Amino acid sequence: MNEMPGLYRIAVLPGDGIGPEVTAEAVKVLKSVEEINGPLFRFQTGLIGGAALDATAAPLPAETISICDNATAILLGAVGGPQWDSKRPEIRPEQGLLQLRRRMALYVNFRPAKVLESLIALSALKPDRVRGTDLVIVRELMGGIYFGNPRGIFAKNGERMGVNTEVYREHEVERVAHRAFQLARLRRRKVTSVDKANVLETSRLWRDVVTRIGRSYGDVELEHLYVDTCAMQLVERPTRFDVVLTNNMFGDILSDEAASLTGSIGLLPSASLGERTALYEPVHGSAPDIAGRNRANPVATIASAALMLRYSCRMESSAVAIEAAIERVLKRGVRTSDMHGKKRPVTTSRMGDLIAEQTRKLLKSSQFRRK
Ligand code: NAD
């Protein structure tokens, strides 16, 4: 089959549990963009995680690797589930995702956490405290204590000893810092770099490098916070943050803390960027407890597709249109079951239909017409 030139090749990896349900809705919304703006995407679906294990005995089969290698961007659902929990660690579903992250050298993860006025009652914090929160956690993803050597559990002097090592090289800090400053330029021009420089050498290097990189972004304000202070400020004054730049482990923890501000895990998108194809996925997992029941909230995956248009396809106005469509649909009181609406919750596919319809409407309006 001849392919139209100039199309963005999107690798769609639904994965396990609710993954196929939520990615189907994101693709639906992307197709609604095409209905207004003409052909834009070529979707290719690949297996990953438990679904791939069942079909091929590998969590990231060669065919999926080839689809991803040739893609503009990857849109992923989620991987994992109890039926694969007894597998050996090297052939568990999560390995598929880890292998993909390594292959694409995805060294930075963006996790936006924005509190929508219409969902403010769902936040873990009081409305007055959380109103207006709009931040992005920028987490280093390939270095730090999760990957450093030596590591292991060793026997010494008759007892066991657990060892992990945190290592950061200057270039690893430089590249993620550049991404954070560049992102801040598209937002409110403030970077908060988070470390533990009062105790850790890696953090002292981190602070030093971020300060140096910051000098070439004179239009962006830079502040440094210790991670314990940051954790506290995230609940005390979340609106003070714009871009929060941090290492792998601190980012892992702080991004979950930030997630609890927004109301439901079903709302949170993420983007992982690196040296090759970028990966877009919801923050949530495969939710086996509700899988296959048309109950999952597809908003996080649809919002991840919007990030994909912004960062991989340079389609800012369509990205904004999808985000505005999500906000409008939620403002009308439409809720999936995770958001405890007063009204009867809608299904996954109904939520997708409504956001797709709203996206079409917005794209037809002059404000969002393609430049
Ligand atoms: P989870 O995020 O899948 O679910 C936690 C809770 O949130 C569940 O009650 C679930 O029903 C609910 N939930 C999650 N997403 C939802 C959505 N979109 N709409 C409505 N409700 C939603 O986390 P878990 O239960 O700890 O993990 C389940 C499986 O997912 C495990 O196998 C885990 O390894 C895997 N996992 C995968 C990823 C990933 O693929 N990136 C991330 C986290 C967990």
Side-chain angles (χ1 to χ4, degrees):
M1 194 177 76
N2 280 340
E3 186 185 315
M4 282 182 63
L7 294 183
Y8 295 111
R9 290 161 171 245
I10 310 301
V12 181
L13 312 184
D16 308 318
I18 60 170
E21 298 165 63
V22 291
T23 43
E25 300 314 309
V27 169
K28 185 187 281 175
V29 172
L30 290 172
K31 286 187 173 164
S32 76
V33 175
E34 285 188 307
E35 279 173 45
I36 307 302
N37 289 339
L40 293 162
F41 311 110
R42 179 175 177 226
F43 298 102
Q44 277 191 292
T45 303
L47 291 169
I48 191 168
L53 278 172
D54 289 350
T56 70
L60 186 68
E63 195 188 334
T64 303
I65 294 176
S66 156
I67 291 173
C68 293
D69 278 349
N70 291 308
T72 313
I74 304 164
L75 183 65
L76 184 125
V79 296
Q83 61 270 53
W84 300 284
D85 280 352
S86 56
K87 298 258 185 205
R88 282 182 283 122
E90 60 279 16
I91 53 160
R92 284 176 56 141
E94 307 83 73
Q95 279 303 320
L97 189 50
L98 292 175
Q99 284 172 26
L100 195 57
R101 284 182 182 156
R102 270 197 299 273
R103 185 172 182 86
M104 298 304 168
L106 301 173
Y107 62 80
V108 56
N109 181 247
F110 291 176
R111 270 209 205 175
K114 184 173 175 183
V115 174
L116 302 179
E117 186 61 33
S118 54
L119 297 181
I120 208 158
L122 297 183
S123 173
L125 298 185
K126 291 186 193 124
D128 284 350
R129 191 165 285 196
V130 85
R131 178 166 287 119
T133 299
D134 179 4
L135 59 90
V136 183
I137 307 274
V138 175
R139 167 186 170 195
E140 199 289 326
L141 210 55
M142 285 182 68
I145 199 160
Y146 293 169
F147 297 104
N149 283 306
R151 63 182 299 157
I153 299 176
F154 307 103
K156 199 174 178 188
N157 301 331
E159 68 171 348
R160 290 185 307 151
M161 175 178 77
V163 177
N164 289 96
T165 306
E166 167 135 313
V167 181
Y168 269 112
R169 291 171 187 82
E170 278 192 284
H171 80 272
E172 292 174 311
V173 186
E174 279 169 11
R175 63 188 183 181
V176 69
H178 278 296
R179 294 279 192 165
F181 283 106
Q182 285 157 9
L183 178 65
R185 275 188 169 160
L186 302 173
R187 297 175 46 92
R188 302 195 305 279
R189 294 175 187 263
K190 179 174 174 187
V191 170
T192 304
S193 177
V194 177
D195 60 41
K196 191 71 184 166
N198 48 344
V199 181
L200 300 173
E201 281 72 16
T202 42
S203 278
R204 283 207 271 281
L205 178 87
W206 180 279
R207 191 174 279 219
D208 196 54
V209 174
V210 172
T211 304
R212 172 165 56 76
I213 300 298
R215 285 192 200 111
S216 39
Y217 297 86
D219 52 334
V220 179
E221 180 194 343
L222 169 65
E223 67 169 354
H224 300 276
L225 280 187
Y226 295 137
V227 62
D228 37 348
T229 310
C230 179
M232 213 160 59
Q233 295 265 310
L234 266 175
V235 287
E236 284 182 354
R237 273 206 310 140
T239 52
R240 75 188 288 291
F241 294 105
D242 179 17
V243 172
V244 178
L245 163 65
T246 191
N247 73 17
N248 204 342
M249 183 164 71
F250 297 158
D252 192 3
I253 299 163
L254 293 176
S255 54
D256 273 18
E257 189 187 354
S260 72
L261 306 178
T262 61
S264 170
I265 191 163
L267 298 168
L268 294 163
S270 83
S272 300
L273 316 175
E275 287 159 16
R276 302 178 61 191
T277 316
L279 170 75
Y280 300 86
E281 59 176 326
V283 164
H284 61 73
S286 61
D289 52 334
I290 56 166
R293 290 159 59 189
N294 208 7
R295 281 187 58 189
N297 184 350
V299 165
T301 315
I302 296 170
S304 301
L307 295 181
M308 180 183 88
L309 297 191
R310 173 167 299 129
Y311 299 126
S312 288
C313 306
R314 296 181 189 285
M315 291 172 59
E316 176 65 21
S317 61
S318 298
V320 173
I322 293 175
E323 287 163 350
I326 291 171
E327 288 202 35
R328 287 190 186 198
V329 168
L330 292 173
K331 202 170 173 188
R332 277 178 10 217
V334 179
R335 302 281 185 268
T336 40
S337 56
D338 55 307
M339 296 186 280
H340 309 292
K342 280 187 201 133
K343 296 181 195 158
R344 243 184 56 180
V346 298
T347 60
T348 309
S349 45
R350 178 73 184 141
M351 180 63 101
D353 286 343
L354 292 171
I355 295 172
E357 187 188 305
Q358 188 64 51
T359 302
R360 272 191 299 271
K361 259 191 209 158
L362 286 171
L363 285 172
K364 275 190 210 156
S365 71
S366 56
Q367 184 194 354
F368 287 101
R369 238 178 251 295
R370 220 173 157 201
K371 293 183 187 101

